[in-house]
């Protein structure tokens, strides 16, 4: 079954497969399953390499969706009786966060046309029809190709041979299992465990739904298509392992493990950021950078330790001794003040007494200070 509007894709997919087939024919039998099977797997690698920018965008969109889940829940509860206002607020939230629910599905959506084109190519090969650039001798060679005894165009339901059913069944199980493992490692290691939202429950449900769905559809897939999906699932698993190891989601289990590794290697700053080496972190950091990080970490730990120290408790004897010392200091200060008063001349006795009285009053001037004469009144007129 082919679609006319997908003719350019049929040509592109068949051309890529033929180019890799000609390459592997130098090592394997041109009519064998290894040459054609590896050609299909290599086409998957080319497509997935081209989709790496979309994969990065998918990761960012997934993290953004996790971060705004509490706000989404609040909007749903606030405008539960006004669907239009709820939709408007949701769209505004998506715009502010720079994401949307469909961003995480971009790689799958982009792969769908290539998957459909490959399915059409293999279906036509099984029927002996020319498709794209596969015709003539290439069509005959592709029809002869077998993988572990199963033709590339054979399906689980369409073939009466037991050997073909066994091969296709094993490939279907491997395809579904790889899909499950990929989703599981995402949920168990690269999800912020501090955020409990319906989005996480949805992802857990998809972890079981997708493998079952692929298993049900896989019984109608040709062997070549099963090779395609098995290869892309293995690629996704490895690609996700690299991302989880090097750039995990903050708050996830993988993030804590990464911080512990960086701290052990001396590559973690006091603020929790990583010390990058040369060539964007591919080479280890210099000894100077590691020493600076260790010094900064030591200063932070020392300050934290000092702030946590509690004052020591004093015994009763120590408290009494401290009280006696304070009393001695007060008596010495009184003696000094008395000596200062005795040193004042006799003619200033009235002033001293007035100063004492002023100091004794609340809000008065301090003891031992001289009062300045008030300026006021009228000056006496000069005699003419």
């Amino acid at each position: 079954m082919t679609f006319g509007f997908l003719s350019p894709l049929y040509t592109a997919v068949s051309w890529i497969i033929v180019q890799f087939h000609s390459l592997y024919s130098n090592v394997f039998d041109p009519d064998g399953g290894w040459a054609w099977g590896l050609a299909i797997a290599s086409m998957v690698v080319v497509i997935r390499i081209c989709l790496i920018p979309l994969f990065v965008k998918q990761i960012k969109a997934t993290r953004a969706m996790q971060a705004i889940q509490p706000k989404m829940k609040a909007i749903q509860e606030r405008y539960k009786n006004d669907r239009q206002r709820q939709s408007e607020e949701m769209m505004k939230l998506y715009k502010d966060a720079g994401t949307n629910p469909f961003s995480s599905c971009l790689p799958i959506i982009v792969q769908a046309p290539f998957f459909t084109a490959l399915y059409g190519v293999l279906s036509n090969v099984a029927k002996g029809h020319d498709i794209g650039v596969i015709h003539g001798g290439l069509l005959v060679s592709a029809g002869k190709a077998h993988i572990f005894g199963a033709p590339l165009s054979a399906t689980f339901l369409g073939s009466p041979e037991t050997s073909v059913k066994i091969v296709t069944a094993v490939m279907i199980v491997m395809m579904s299992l790889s899909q499950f493992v990929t989703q599981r490692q995402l949920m168990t290691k690269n999800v912020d465990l501090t955020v409990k939202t319906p989005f996480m429950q949805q992802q857990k449900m998809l972890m079981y739904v997708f493998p079952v769905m692929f298993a049900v559809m896989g019984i109608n897939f040709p062997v070549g298509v099963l090779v395609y999906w098995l290869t892309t699932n293995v690629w996704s698993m490895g690609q996700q392992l690299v991302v989880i190891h090097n750039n995990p989601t903050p708050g996830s289990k993988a993030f804590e493990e990464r911080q512990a590794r960086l701290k052990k290697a001396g590559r973690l700053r006091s603020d929790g950021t990583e010390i990058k080496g040369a060539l964007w972190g591919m080479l280890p950091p210099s000894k100077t950078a590691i020493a600076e990080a260790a010094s900064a970490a030591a200063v932070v730990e020392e300050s934290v330790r000092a702030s946590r120290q509690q004052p020591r408790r004093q015994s009763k004897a120590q408290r009494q001794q401290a009280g006696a010392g304070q009393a001695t200091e007060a008596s010495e200060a009184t003696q000094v003040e008395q000596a200062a008063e005795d040193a004042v001349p006799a003619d200033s006795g009235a002033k001293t007494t007035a100063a004492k009285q002023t100091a004794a009053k609340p809000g008065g001037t301090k003891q031992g200070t001289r009062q300045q004469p008030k300026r006021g009144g009228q000056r006496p007129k000069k005699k003419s």
Side-chain angles (χ1 to χ4, degrees), residues 181-242:
V181 172
T182 302
Q183 188 69 17
R184 178 175 172 78
Q185 73 178 359
L186 175 66
M187 293 301 302
T188 56
K189 285 194 172 184
N190 202 37
V191 173
D192 188 356
L193 302 177
T194 61
V195 181
K196 305 293 183 182
T197 62
F199 181 74
M200 291 182 60
Q201 299 298 328
Q202 181 184 6
Q203 294 296 314
K204 288 182 179 179
M205 182 181 66
L206 293 178
M207 181 173 63
Y208 298 99
V209 170
F210 274 139
V212 174
M213 183 177 65
F214 274 93
V216 172
M217 293 189 303
I219 59 178
N220 291 312
F221 288 167
V223 172
V225 176
L226 293 177
V227 172
Y228 173 91
W229 274 115
L230 182 59
T231 306
T232 192
N233 286 349
V234 172
W235 176 278
S236 298
M237 188 188 306
Q239 186 174 248
Q240 191 165 264
L241 280 173
V242 173

Side-chain angles (χ1 to χ4, degrees), residues 41-312:
S42 300
M43 181 197 67
V44 175
V45 173
V46 170
I47 294 174
R48 293 308 301 266
I49 290 175
C50 296
L51 293 179
I52 286 178
L54 289 179
F55 179 75
V56 174
K57 189 174 181 178
Q58 177 191 20
I59 293 175
K60 294 180 179 180
T62 303
R63 291 183 180 179
M65 286 296 296
Q66 292 177 359
I68 65 175
Q69 284 301 304
K71 296 182 180 179
M72 290 177 61
K73 188 175 180 180
I75 291 174
Q76 291 173 354
E77 293 178 354
R78 184 175 181 182
Y79 303 105
K80 58 183 178 180
N81 297 326
D82 189 351
R83 295 293 182 182
Q84 183 177 357
R85 182 66 183 278
Q86 184 182 119
S87 301
E88 293 175 355
E89 292 295 329
M90 285 291 188
M91 295 303 297
K92 183 179 179 182
L93 180 62
Y94 293 149
K95 184 177 180 181
D96 294 340
T99 185
N100 61 76
F102 302 103
S103 298
S104 59
C105 302
L106 277 176
I108 297 178
I109 295 174
V110 174
Q111 282 187 89
F114 292 95
F115 165 76
T116 305
L118 178 62
Y119 188 89
V121 168
L122 294 176
S123 297
N124 281 268
V125 168
K127 297 175 182 178
H129 297 165
D130 295 344
I131 183 72
V133 298
I134 299 179
H135 49 78
L138 289 174
L139 183 61
V140 175
S141 176
K144 293 179 180 179
H146 288 67
I147 296 179
F148 300 110
L152 287 177
S153 57
T155 63
F156 180 84
L157 293 179
S159 178
E161 299 181 9
T162 305
S163 60
V164 174
K165 289 185 180 295
I166 292 174
V167 172
T168 52
V170 171
M171 295 183 70
I172 290 171
V173 170
M174 293 176 64
M175 179 184 67
S176 301
L177 184 61
S178 60
Q179 180 73 32
F180 175 78
V181 172
T182 302
Q183 188 69 17
R184 178 175 172 78
Q185 73 178 359
L186 175 66
M187 293 301 302
T188 56
K189 285 194 172 184
N190 202 37
V191 173
D192 188 356
L193 302 177
T194 61
V195 181
K196 305 293 183 182
T197 62
F199 181 74
M200 291 182 60
Q201 299 298 328
Q202 181 184 6
Q203 294 296 314
K204 288 182 179 179
M205 182 181 66
L206 293 178
M207 181 173 63
Y208 298 99
V209 170
F210 274 139
V212 174
M213 183 177 65
F214 274 93
V216 172
M217 293 189 303
I219 59 178
N220 291 312
F221 288 167
V223 172
V225 176
L226 293 177
V227 172
Y228 173 91
W229 274 115
L230 182 59
T231 306
T232 192
N233 286 349
V234 172
W235 176 278
S236 298
M237 188 188 306
Q239 186 174 248
Q240 191 165 264
L241 280 173
V242 173
V243 172
I244 291 175
H245 186 271
N246 296 324
N247 189 22
T249 302
S252 63
K253 181 179 178 181
F255 182 80
E256 296 177 357
E257 294 175 353
R258 175 178 174 272
Q259 295 298 94
R261 290 195 306 268
L262 293 177
K263 185 176 182 181
K264 184 177 180 180
R267 296 174 55 189
L268 192 66
R269 295 189 180 92
S270 57
D271 58 354
T273 57
E274 179 186 1
I275 301 174
K276 295 286 186 180
L279 294 178
W280 301 281
M282 290 187 288
L283 298 180
S286 61
K287 295 182 178 180
T288 305
I290 295 177
E292 291 177 354
S295 177
V299 171
V300 172
E301 291 181 1
E302 183 65 25
S303 62
V304 171
R305 190 183 301 110
S307 63
R308 290 180 176 177
Q309 288 182 351
Q310 301 293 334
R312 296 180 179 178

